């Protein structure tokens, strides 16, 4: 679950970071779409997943703990678990 969450979140996280890190006095991007277009033109589509491993390392334990917790609570409350 953490892997697929990272696959979908990483591009948006990359663009958000670029927008937040641009200088306030001289804007590089005029908005989200402009940032997306310029990033893909300059670095290619795969650059949207740059930083994949750190993001996945953050999401994987969270997704695992979430699954284990919900399964424990289902079993504790008498519901059928996986």
């Amino acid at each position: 679950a953490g892997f697929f969450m990272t696959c979908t979140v990483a591009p948006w996280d990359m663009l958000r970071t670029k927008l937040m890190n641009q200088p306030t006095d001289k804007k590089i991007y005029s908005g989200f779409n402009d940032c997306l277009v310029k990033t893909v033109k300059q670095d290619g589509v795969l650059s949207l997943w740059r930083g994949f491993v750190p993001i996945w390392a953050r999401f994987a334990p969270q997704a695992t703990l979430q699954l284990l917790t919900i399964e424990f609570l289902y079993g504790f409350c008498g519901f059928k678990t996986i």
Side-chain angles (χ1 to χ4, degrees), residues 44-55:
V45 175
L46 291 179
S47 70
L48 296 173
W49 284 272
R50 190 174 295 144
F52 181 87
V53 173
I55 297 170

Side-chain angles (χ1 to χ4, degrees), residues 8-64:
T8 57
V9 169
W12 312 116
D13 191 48
M14 166 66 80
L15 296 173
R16 179 182 56 90
T17 301
K18 283 186 162 207
L19 286 168
M20 289 174 48
N21 289 337
Q22 68 181 337
T24 55
D25 57 340
K26 183 183 174 194
K27 298 279 186 183
I28 301 169
Y29 310 106
S30 63
F32 191 81
N33 288 333
D34 184 46
C35 182
L36 174 65
V37 169
K38 285 181 180 177
T39 300
V40 170
K41 279 185 180 177
Q42 289 175 352
D43 303 325
V45 175
L46 291 179
S47 70
L48 296 173
W49 284 272
R50 190 174 295 144
F52 181 87
V53 173
I55 297 170
W56 180 67
R58 186 177 69 213
F59 282 145
Q62 173 191 348
T64 303

